[in-house]
Amino acid sequence: MSHARESAEDRLIARYFRPLATDPGAFALGDDAAVVTPPAGCDLVLTTDGVIAGVHFFPDDPPERIGRKALRMNLSDLAAKGAKPAGFLLSLALPRGTDGAWIAAFAAGLGEDIAQYGCPLLGGDTDHTPGPVSVSIAAFGTVPRGKMVRRSTAKPGDTVVVTGTVGDAALGVKMREDASLAKRWRLMPAMARHLEERYLLPQPRNALAEAVLHHAAAAIDVSDGLAGDLAKLVEASSVAAEIDVARVPLSDAARAAIGAEPALIESVLTGGDDYEIVMTLPPQKLPALRAAAEAAGVPLTEIGRVQAGQGARFMLDGKALSFARPSYSHF
Ligand code: ADP
Ligand code: MG
């Protein structure tokens, strides 16, 4: 019996990615395509996001973190839509000569998150590129039919809440670009590490997805900065929002940095990579959401109100802040 000729690409896929693809629908990466069977009465929720070396991460960032970051960006979109992860596809473009140790570490990191978030690898594509490393992920989740939580359904009178803390990753990137900042911001080493960690490895709020599904009127993943993403939500909903900046949740590290340099509040509110969820809901639903968040171990803070009108206003000391650049944008 003769074996079909195995290319280097086939060997790479078999060695590094087949061990991760244990879901029966992935057919051990042995077919042209995978199969997902959504639970009866469910919609599939689809999203895609990726990272490119030199754009979304530094080429010398630890490879274990790179695949995880790309996957977590997608998981965060699913969480904000109230969806439960169902799987993902991975498209990789690697420069020639990328060493096996890099790919092994990349795959090992991804394997940890596949287990942690219960989001199976179903397939993908692997190519060489004359450019930098590019990791593109398309992820799928499920929600009961018609129930995906939209951006466009906020109502005047809703309260606005956000998970976790805002701005850490944006400060972490600044520190990564200029190591002297930790000193200028008078950060203790543990605080500096916290900001860097938040940039390297997002903590998407999938533990809260079910509560978002049941309680949120509208929601958006905070990935391009709170100000810009909330502006997208209020525009989609044809409403306004007023945010009390003093109530925006900050880590001790971000608070210390702003204490040393007050102008950083703009980076905190407009920088990207938070991977938190901002959502609106009728105030009477807040206690139930709070209880669910507590049970899920996800911090939740009320930061403002939805009103009739348009635009998101960030109020500090009685004045609306104006931002030079309200949102992270590649173009
Ligand atoms: P094709 O020639 O049709 O593009 P491939 O040889 O690229 O097929 O892929 C073979 C199998 O390996 C498919 O099941 C595909 O989903 C899977 N695969 C390829 N690259 C990856 C990857 N980076 N991660 C996971 N699965 C992959
Ligand atoms: Mg292919």
Side-chain angles (χ1 to χ4, degrees):
M1 213 173 87
S2 74
H3 286 277
R5 224 182 124 87
E6 226 192 27
S7 69
E9 181 185 320
D10 295 333
R11 283 196 301 274
L12 187 158
I13 293 165
R15 175 162 182 191
Y16 298 110
F17 298 111
R18 184 180 298 149
L20 304 183
T22 54
D23 188 89
F27 307 117
L29 307 184
D31 213 317
D32 300 307
V35 168
V36 175
T37 308
C42 281
D43 286 337
L44 272 181
V45 175
L46 317 177
T47 183
T48 182
D49 237 317
V51 294
I52 298 171
V55 181
H56 305 88
F57 64 92
F58 295 85
D60 60 338
D61 281 349
E64 300 77 18
R65 308 291 185 90
I66 293 166
R68 298 175 86 180
K69 182 166 183 174
L71 180 56
R72 288 175 180 216
M73 290 160 75
N74 285 274
L75 286 166
S76 184
D77 280 324
L78 294 180
K81 301 296 98 184
K84 182 171 181 285
F88 71 102
L89 301 172
L90 167 68
S91 295
L92 267 183
L94 300 173
R96 268 180 213 288
T98 301
D99 66 11
W102 191 98
I103 305 174
F106 171 91
L110 210 49
E112 283 183 42
D113 276 5
I114 289 168
Q116 182 176 334
Y117 292 93
C119 189
L121 175 62
L122 296 172
D125 190 33
T126 308
D127 292 304
H128 276 132
T129 172
V133 174
S134 158
V135 182
S136 176
I137 285 181
F140 320 108
T142 58
V143 291
R145 190 164 296 153
K147 298 289 188 203
M148 188 184 92
V149 180
R150 305 285 312 274
R151 293 178 178 181
S152 55
T153 36
K155 294 278 179 299
D158 282 356
T159 186
V160 181
V161 299
V162 66
T163 59
T165 59
V166 170
D168 295 324
L171 299 178
V173 175
K174 283 184 183 286
M175 282 174 37
R176 191 70 215 268
E177 287 165 343
D178 177 355
S180 74
L181 286 176
K183 203 169 162 201
R184 196 162 98 205
W185 297 344
R186 298 194 287 275
L187 297 182
M188 324 239 278
M191 290 180 170
R193 266 199 310 279
H194 170 81
L195 298 180
E196 249 160 27
E197 277 294 314
R198 287 274 285 164
Y199 149 74
L200 280 173
L201 197 59
Q203 304 291 333
R205 300 304 187 175
N206 299 80
L208 202 64
E210 206 180 325
V212 172
L213 179 69
H214 289 124
H215 305 299
I220 185 169
D221 155 57
V222 184
S223 55
D224 293 331
L226 178 64
D229 288 327
L230 188 65
K232 287 176 189 164
L233 182 147
V234 299
E235 187 179 352
S237 295
S238 304
V239 293
E242 189 162 298
I243 301 304
D244 182 355
V245 172
R247 291 164 77 183
V248 171
L250 302 176
S251 66
D252 292 343
R255 204 174 287 286
I258 292 171
E261 202 173 311
L264 286 175
I265 189 67
E266 172 150 357
S267 306
V268 162
L269 296 174
T270 65
D273 274 356
D274 291 307
Y275 303 106
E276 298 292 352
I277 301 173
V278 64
M279 62 195 122
T280 83
L281 69 167
Q284 66 272 20
K285 286 191 161 186
L286 190 55
L289 178 65
R290 273 199 196 289
E294 207 154 295
V298 176
L300 197 74
T301 309
E302 200 180 353
I303 58 171
R305 273 298 171 117
V306 178
Q307 302 165 337
Q310 53 183 10
R313 284 181 301 282
F314 283 75
M315 304 299 294
L316 186 61
D317 301 327
K319 288 194 287 283
L321 297 178
S322 69
F323 303 116
R325 197 187 67 164
S327 177
Y328 185 83
S329 166
H330 289 284
F331 296 97

